[in-house]
């Protein structure tokens, strides 16, 4: 049967199966396996645990809870809201019986995709068939209801945010908050006078904010509570390092500052990921160096309550699944929540302020837009030398250090309380003792959630909080699928999941009118649409929709004869030894993702008879730096190993700038910032725990003219940081003139970065991602570049035969 593209939203309800007889189950399983399990594990006599799954093509898009002790007539009555961008001939419903070592197939029911087109509601009993498509014994049927809405009938599709009445992303746990204030941060610090004049509407100019200075002030001035979560928190770092901007007490380390605040009577609670990585492969590759034990030890017997929390699974998974989750996945949220003085000052009342984004409070994170490799080694980075991409790198052997580019935000107003609530949910689940400040008892001191701007304030923000998390990490998630759906959560086979970050990305991409700008540490996914000649895509499981949604958006614009551009900035390679199996596997997934997108674009161009470079619609960049040697520079006392990547990079005076940001800007009117990468770990909901915010300024929308609010200023500041210049064309990123200009600059900077000789510092950092796109959309090596400069690491990556995809996707 022909495959049909479903691009929109599918509402599905699975009601029940009418009559499963004992003959419906495979005989072998019933007798041998069940008896074995009963004897060895002591499970009850053959308890049935029935559940159903929903598949579109090669993608699993939903699964019900397990129903126990209803062996002949399991009734789920569960509804699913499924975003789809899949080729499929059927919507497939699979009924299975769960057991401690896996699951047994009972049968499958098929609803042809063509039956659900044109938004027709389908409500029917569908026959359950065996693997040979013959009716299962006893002729059971499953009762399902489906209704599909194509993106073209979505009133927000390609219209952006039309007015300040935009209600936010639907079906989510947290609703959108109004009357908020947002500060956007590029890197941990911005030096004075770095940002040129960037014009905003109303005759204003863009003013940068300074992340770690603001975090230092927020912690220093807190009087009642300081709550921190992190993938890593390192006590030995200092937050204030700019000698031109000293602060009283600014030389104190983070650990000492938190101890000082706790001794003053402030409640300091920290949830730091407990790195139980039994997977030595990853530790060896230098991916995990979190100082979790050191941090816990530092605060032992102090007034600071630091809890190491593993990524515990939601109860109810199989034994193997539980082990998988706690050893493979992480707590990845990076938040700080404090009480702060009122914006106007003068009052004794306090309010809640929160920080959310990509920057952990740990070593290797402090950097400025200059991203120096060698010139800060005896100042800001002498005691914070971070270079995990070479074996044995150290300050005594010299640079290049690994520069760090990241993005963060500060949230004020009602949205800050949502971040606080997220912390309280997590603390109640994994914090142990109930040490949370009882805010009700402080109601005469700390104000309730309330706007920090007037409705007519031109600088007001509407903000919504999103997460990837499940009941294993957050307390108080509803038990039943019905209640979960009402709370904007997704129910799985044995867990309740908040997957709203992925939903936020999908909604924002679908709304987009003109352009999208993404910076992310990873870019892989939509594996159901990858070319499957040399892999079984069903085994990869990187099912989130973001890459496919982006390519579908570009395709829809090409078909409509309109311009649309997508700019994506990623690191050269994921942090770690670039030749290692895990890094190479991730690069391989990234290549497959890029190739899938470019093939979509090339096919759309060919169908319209357009002969154009697909890079005019979608371009990938990385960032790097190269510095000539200056007199008076830090001189290391030792040398790196001969013939190592380290010595080669030191002699060539170059290295990548590590992109750790997790941000998307749409049409200069909407921004998502958080901790979530564009990979399955971050977007799944039941893997790494994540948090993000989506925000816009209702008085600075792109409805009638280009948006020129804070988001526009922030993007221009980022482009200035990366390109070392600003140009008139940058005001309109969707135009061919702009993408051509940016591509030309990035191509030139790559040539300078990769050349044998070096005469001057690199004039900017934005580099073409070093791959070639063929006329058919295949990704191949850029001529002369099979390996990243100074390494023997393949740019296109390599499939790993021994690392399971769940680790690297």
């Amino acid at each position: 049967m022909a495959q049909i593209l479903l691009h929109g939203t599918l509402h599905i309800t699975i009601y029940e199966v009418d009559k499963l007889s004992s003959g419906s189950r495979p005989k072998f399983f019933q007798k041998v396996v069940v008896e074995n399990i009963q004897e060895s594990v002591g499970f009850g006599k053959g308890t049935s645990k029935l559940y159903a799954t929903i598949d579109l093509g090669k993608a699993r898009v939903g699964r019900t809870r397990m129903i126990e002790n209803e062996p002949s007539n399991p009734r789920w009555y569960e509804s699913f809201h499924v975003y789809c961008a899949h080729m499929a001939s059927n919507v497939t419903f699979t009924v299975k019986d769960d057991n401690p070592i896996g699951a047994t197939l009972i049968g499958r029911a098929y609803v042809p995709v063509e039956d659900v087109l044109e938004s027709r509601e389908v409500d029917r009993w569908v026959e359950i068939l065996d693997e040979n498509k013959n009716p299962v014994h006893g002729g059971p049927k499953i009762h399902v209801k489906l209704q599909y809405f194509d993106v073209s009938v979505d009133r927000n599709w390609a219209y952006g945010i039309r007015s300040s009445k935009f209600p936010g992303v639907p079906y989510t746990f947290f609703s959108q908050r109004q009357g908020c204030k947002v500060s956007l941060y590029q890197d941990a610090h911005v030096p004075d006078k770095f940002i040129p004049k960037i014009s905003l509407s109303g005759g204003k100019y863009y003013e940068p904010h300074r992340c770690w200075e603001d975090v230092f002030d927020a912690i220093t001035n807190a009087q009642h509570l300081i709550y921190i979560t992190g993938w890593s928190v390192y006590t030995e770092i200092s937050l204030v390092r700019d000698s031109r901007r000293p602060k009283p007490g600014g030389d104190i380390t983070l650990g000492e500052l938190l101890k000082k605040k706790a001794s003053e009577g402030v409640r300091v609670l920290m949830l730091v990921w407990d790195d139980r990585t039994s997977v030595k492969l990853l530790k060896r590759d230098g991916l995990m160096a979190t100082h979790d034990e050191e941090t816990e030890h530092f605060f032992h017997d102090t007034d600071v309550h630091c809890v190491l929390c593993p990524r515990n699974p939601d109860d109810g998974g199989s034994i193997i699944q539980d082990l998988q989750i706690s050893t493979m996945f992480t707590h990845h949220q990076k938040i700080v929540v404090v009480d702060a003085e009122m914006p106007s000052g003068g009052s004794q009342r306090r309010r809640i302020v929160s920080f959310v984004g990509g920057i952990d409070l740990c070593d290797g994170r402090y950097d400025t837009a200059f991203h120096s490799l060698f010139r800060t080694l005896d100042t800001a980075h002498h005691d914070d030398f971070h270079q995990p991409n070479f074996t044995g790198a150290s300050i005594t052997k010299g640079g290049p250090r690994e520069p760090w580019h990241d993005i963060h935000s500060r949230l004020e107003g009602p949205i800050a309380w949502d971040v606080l609530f997220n912390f309280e949910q997590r603390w109640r689940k994994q914090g142990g003792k109930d040490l949370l400040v009882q805010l009700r008892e402080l109601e005469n001191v700390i104000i309730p959630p309330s706007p920090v701007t007037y409705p007519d304030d031109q600088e007001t923000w509407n903000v919504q909080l999103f997460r990837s998390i499940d009941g294993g990490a957050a307390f108080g998630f509803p038990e039943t699928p019905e209640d979960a759906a009402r709370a904007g959560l997704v129910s799985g086979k044995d867990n309740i999941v908040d997957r709203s970050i992925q939903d936020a990305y999908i909604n924002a991409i679908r709304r987009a009118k003109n352009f999208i700008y993404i910076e992310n540490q990873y870019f892989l996914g939509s594996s159901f649409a990858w070319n499957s000649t040399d892999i079984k895509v069903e085994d990869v499981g990187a099912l989130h929709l973001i890459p496919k949604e982006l390519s579908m958006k570009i395709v829809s614009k090409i078909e409509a004869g309109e311009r649309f551009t997508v700019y994506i900035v990623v690191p050269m390679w994921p942090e770690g030894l670039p030749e290692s199996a895990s890094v190479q596997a991730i690069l391989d997934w990234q290549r497959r993702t890029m190739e899938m997108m470019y093939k979509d674009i090339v096919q759309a161009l060919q169908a319209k008879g357009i002969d154009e470079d697909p890079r005019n619609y979608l371009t990938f960049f990385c960032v790097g730096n190269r510095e000539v040697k200056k007199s008076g520079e830090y001189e290391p006392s030792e040398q790196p190993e001969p013939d190592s990547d380290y010595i080669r990079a030191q002699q060539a005076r170059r290295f990548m700038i590590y992109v750790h940001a997790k941000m998307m800007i749409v049409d200069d009117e909407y921004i998502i910032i958080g901790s979530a990468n564009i990979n399955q770990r971050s977007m799944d909901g039941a893997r790494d725990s994540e948090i993000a915010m989506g925000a816009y300024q209702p008085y600075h929308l792109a409805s009638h003219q280009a948006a020129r609010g804070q988001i526009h200023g922030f993007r221009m500041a980022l482009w200035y940081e990366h390109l070392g210049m600003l140009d008139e064309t940058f005001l309109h990123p969707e135009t061919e003139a702009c993408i051509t200009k940016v591509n030309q600059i990035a191509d030139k900077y790559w040539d300078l970065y990769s050349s044998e000789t070096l005469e001057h510092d690199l004039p900017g950092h934005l580099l073409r991602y070093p791959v070639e796109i063929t006329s058919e959309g295949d990704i191949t090596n850029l001529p002369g570049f099979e390996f990243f400069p100074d390494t023997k690491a393949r740019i296109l990556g390599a499939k790993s035969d021994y690392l399971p995809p769940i680790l690297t996707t």
Side-chain angles (χ1 to χ4, degrees), residues 497-525:
V497 179
D498 184 338
R499 199 162 48 208
S500 52
I501 298 179
Q502 187 184 159
D503 291 359
Y505 269 88
I506 292 167
N507 274 269
I509 294 164
R510 290 184 176 185
R511 279 195 313 270
K513 290 194 293 193
N514 300 313
F515 80 92
I516 287 173
Y517 175 59
I518 289 173
E519 293 189 4
N520 207 288
Q521 183 188 357
Y522 293 92
F523 192 84
L524 62 94

Side-chain angles (χ1 to χ4, degrees), residues 584-602:
Q584 285 288 301
I586 294 166
L587 289 169
D588 179 61
W589 304 138
Q590 177 180 280
R591 173 188 63 81
R592 292 171 192 273
T593 305
M594 291 162 76
E595 195 163 82
M596 179 250 331
M597 296 172 75
Y598 276 119
K599 282 186 178 296
D600 284 349
I601 294 164
V602 165

Side-chain angles (χ1 to χ4, degrees), residues 486-737:
R486 275 194 285 277
L489 302 170
V490 182
S491 56
K493 185 175 84 174
D494 41 40
N495 57 349
I496 302 289
V497 179
D498 184 338
R499 199 162 48 208
S500 52
I501 298 179
Q502 187 184 159
D503 291 359
Y505 269 88
I506 292 167
N507 274 269
I509 294 164
R510 290 184 176 185
R511 279 195 313 270
K513 290 194 293 193
N514 300 313
F515 80 92
I516 287 173
Y517 175 59
I518 289 173
E519 293 189 4
N520 207 288
Q521 183 188 357
Y522 293 92
F523 192 84
L524 62 94
S526 307
S527 57
F528 54 84
W530 292 356
N531 179 0
S532 56
T533 48
D534 62 333
I535 52 165
K536 193 173 173 208
V537 293
E538 294 89 333
D539 295 344
V540 178
L543 298 178
H544 74 87
L545 298 190
I546 295 164
K548 192 68 179 171
E549 287 287 348
L550 288 164
S551 63
M552 297 308 303
K553 168 62 72 169
I554 295 169
V555 166
S556 73
K557 291 288 190 172
I558 291 169
E559 288 171 348
E562 297 169 17
R563 284 285 324 155
F564 195 90
T565 44
V566 177
Y567 302 76
I568 299 176
V569 181
V570 292
M572 273 190 210
W573 67 80
E575 191 177 58
L577 305 178
E579 297 92 347
S580 66
S582 55
V583 169
Q584 285 288 301
I586 294 166
L587 289 169
D588 179 61
W589 304 138
Q590 177 180 280
R591 173 188 63 81
R592 292 171 192 273
T593 305
M594 291 162 76
E595 195 163 82
M596 179 250 331
M597 296 172 75
Y598 276 119
K599 282 186 178 296
D600 284 349
I601 294 164
V602 165
Q603 282 167 11
L605 289 170
Q606 288 172 347
K608 292 284 279 189
I610 301 169
D611 181 21
E612 200 178 347
D613 185 347
R615 285 177 75 226
N616 285 352
Y617 296 86
L618 168 69
T619 314
F620 289 85
F621 305 96
C622 51
V623 279
N625 200 4
R626 207 167 177 189
E627 294 173 331
V628 293
K629 190 155 183 160
K630 283 194 166 173
S631 60
E633 211 176 79
Y634 169 77
E635 291 293 345
S637 56
E638 299 168 33
Q639 288 271 305
E641 293 288 308
D643 195 35
S644 61
D645 292 1
Y646 191 1
I647 190 91
R648 281 189 288 272
Q650 192 174 87
Q651 288 164 349
R653 306 275 305 181
R654 65 187 163 202
F655 200 67
M656 71 165 168
I657 296 165
Y658 197 56
V659 177
H660 191 260
K662 298 99 174 50
M663 179 213 70
M664 179 168 79
I665 288 174
V666 178
D667 297 333
D668 276 353
E669 72 176 2
Y670 187 80
I671 189 165
I672 295 175
I673 290 175
S675 65
N677 295 314
I678 297 180
N679 61 6
Q680 194 62 24
R681 293 180 80 100
S682 288
M683 293 297 166
D684 190 88
R687 297 188 183 183
D688 289 357
S689 65
E690 309 282 4
I691 194 164
M693 68 86 174
Y696 65 96
Q697 293 187 280
Y699 291 100
H700 300 282
L701 301 177
S703 33
H704 303 300
Q705 63 222 53
R708 292 290 178 260
Q710 291 298 318
I711 298 171
H712 167 74
F714 187 62
R715 178 184 62 79
M716 293 293 277
L718 287 167
W719 283 29
Y720 179 75
E721 170 182 337
H722 298 327
L723 290 153
M725 57 169 286
L726 285 178
D727 188 87
E728 203 64 26
T729 59
F730 298 174
L731 296 171
H732 300 283
E734 70 277 9
T735 60
E736 199 172 340

